[in-house]
Amino acid sequence: MNHPRTFEDLVAEGASVPTEGWDFSWFEGRATEARPSWGYARSMAGRLAAGRAVLDVQTGGGEVLAFALAQAATRPALTVATEGWPPNVAKATALLRPRGVTVVAVPEDAQLPFADGAFDLVVSRHPVNPQWAEIARVLRPGGTYFAQHVGPASAFELVEHFLGPQPEEARSGRHPDRERADAEAAALEVVELRAERLRMEFHDIAAVVHFLRKVIWMVPGFTVEAYEPQLRALHERIESEGPFVAHSARQLVEARKPPK
């Protein structure tokens, strides 16, 4: 006979799952998130086929770039990826080096260690804080930045359960209008900017714990011990009402560096 798993069992499981990389397969059956209509990784594959020198900024564990390279009709002559978190640097190197990609360890807020105009395509999926001036600098004239960003107030139903109501500045950060203004301030022309809000469901508290450990900027400094009361309250809510629903925000950004 299967006994219901206790709060303590579920929290311990969520706290023990490795967090390296951007492989979310562990969440299968425990949490879901609708995907944007544009299919970023497949769209990236089409761009890679036309690229000669490509840079993937903040590649995570390299999973999205590896998928796109596998789908691309032809591969760029040069592909480079950057990543700032040491466990992800190791994971991305192991995954991407056999595919001919050089992985460079670069802190997320640091200057990119590449020459001006080194790349004709820069891509990024969910950069923590897009460094627009650096992106523009390393793009050659006529080159393109093609990325999927996290949008404003993403998963804030979950964030505010743990942190309480957030100020308007926190809710409006990453707004599409601000993204456009920041790109244009770096002398990039915004070709396309699309935004969608997408349903998320968390089916047990283990999924919540793992998500907050993996996506560390949602609840900065999150630990099970520090947020035990909020976790227990959310566990009881899921047990009595069903999955906890939140909404992620995603933005597709395409910007071009004007030709000389």
Side-chain angles (χ1 to χ4, degrees):
M1 179 178 177
N2 292 327
H3 296 282
R5 301 186 66 195
T6 67
F7 169 75
E8 289 76 15
D9 290 340
L10 289 165
V11 165
E13 182 181 3
S16 68
V17 183
T19 57
E20 294 88 349
W22 288 116
D23 178 5
F24 284 75
S25 60
W26 179 86
F27 287 100
E28 186 172 349
R30 318 190 75 142
T32 60
E33 179 182 344
R35 296 301 176 200
S37 61
W38 50 74
Y40 177 70
R42 287 184 173 82
S43 297
M44 185 204 294
R47 304 304 181 100
L48 293 177
R52 293 170 295 176
V54 176
L55 173 64
D56 182 19
V57 177
Q58 297 181 33
T59 194
E63 298 90 350
V64 176
L65 180 57
F67 174 87
L69 285 169
Q71 297 293 313
T74 59
R75 293 189 177 186
L78 172 69
T79 307
V80 180
T82 69
E83 175 55 32
W85 191 42
N88 275 352
V89 173
K91 185 167 185 178
T93 299
L95 180 61
L96 295 173
R97 180 181 285 166
R99 293 165 170 80
V101 179
T102 300
V103 178
V104 182
V106 181
E108 65 192 34
D109 56 352
Q111 288 188 323
L112 296 171
F114 308 112
D116 296 359
F119 301 96
D120 56 287
L121 176 65
V122 176
V123 297
S124 189
R125 181 181 179 274
H126 301 176
V128 175
N129 183 27
Q131 302 292 318
W132 289 105
E134 281 296 281
I135 291 164
R137 182 184 65 78
V138 301
L139 276 172
R140 67 165 177 79
T144 296
Y145 176 62
F146 183 70
Q148 180 173 295
H149 291 181
V150 176
S154 187
F156 257 43
E157 298 95 336
L158 187 64
V159 170
E160 293 188 331
H161 174 82
F162 287 89
L163 300 180
Q166 294 297 288
E168 183 57 33
E169 176 62 23
R171 300 187 67 85
S172 63
R174 302 174 182 262
H175 190 280
D177 292 346
R178 183 174 298 181
E179 298 266 77
R180 182 182 295 276
D182 290 346
E184 291 175 348
L188 295 173
E189 298 173 347
V190 177
V191 177
E192 184 175 23
L193 182 54
R194 296 168 59 186
E196 293 182 0
R197 294 193 72 80
L198 304 151
R199 184 181 176 93
M200 308 172 71
E201 293 186 358
F202 294 89
H203 293 259
D204 66 29
I205 202 66
V208 172
V209 170
H210 183 45
F211 180 78
L212 294 179
R213 290 176 57 240
K214 194 174 184 73
V215 190
I216 58 175
W217 51 88
M218 287 290 177
V219 179
F222 172 82
T223 64
V224 168
E225 294 74 21
Y227 289 95
E228 194 273 345
Q230 293 93 331
L231 287 168
R232 188 175 293 276
L234 187 52
H235 168 72
E236 292 172 356
R237 177 174 171 179
I238 292 171
E239 290 289 295
S240 63
E241 300 178 11
F244 180 79
V245 176
H247 295 85
S248 65
R250 300 289 181 259
Q251 295 172 171
L252 182 70
V253 183
E254 180 180 353
R256 181 170 171 264
K257 185 172 182 176
K260 287 185 177 178

